[in-house]
Amino acid sequence: MTESGANSMDYLKAFLIGGAICAVVQIIMEKTKLMPGRIMVLLVCSGVAMGALGLYGPFIEFAGAGASVPLIGFGYSLWMGIKEAITNEGFIGIFKGGFTASAIGISASLLLGYLASLIFNPKTK
């Protein structure tokens, strides 16, 4: 298989797996009375728990961006940051690791959200 063919399959796999994760979350939203905020917290905490159990790392290796982009992947990245910080800094890493691991993603979200608000003139409801 050519290099571009392998990349196309990676894109397809990421799309299908990411879509499946989102479909499961949509079903949870439709079938339960859980508020969206609670579902978001559940996803992040699930990513942390699955990372701590060693289950999510191999899944990300297989699925690529399809597993790392949804909120459950954000929880996993928090876990990896905490794990690394505990290894390097000890107990204080519990409090610092998640912030350092997720800082760039959060910063980019804030910056791009602000730029979008300047461009599209949002209105309050």
Side-chain angles (χ1 to χ4, degrees), residues 10 12 41 57 72 78 103:
D10 289 343
L12 180 63
V41 170
I72 198 166
L78 289 175

Side-chain angles (χ1 to χ4, degrees), residues 46-92:
S46 296
V48 170
M50 290 171 59
L53 294 172
L55 301 173
Y56 210 72
F59 184 56
I60 284 185
E61 288 293 322
F62 170 73
S68 63
V69 172
L71 271 178
I72 198 166
F74 178 70
Y76 175 74
S77 71
L78 289 175
W79 163 250
M80 292 306 293
I82 292 168
K83 181 178 162 185
E84 182 180 336
I86 289 172
T87 302
N88 295 337
E89 302 177 32
F91 182 74
I92 194 71

Side-chain angles (χ1 to χ4, degrees), residues 85-108:
I86 289 172
T87 302
N88 295 337
E89 302 177 32
F91 182 74
I92 194 71
I94 293 171
F95 305 104
K96 289 175 59 176
F99 292 115
T100 55
S102 62
I104 188 121
I106 294 170
S107 298

Side-chain angles (χ1 to χ4, degrees), residues 117 120-125:
S117 72
F120 294 106
N121 191 20
K123 296 174 179 65
T124 58
K125 291 182 177 184

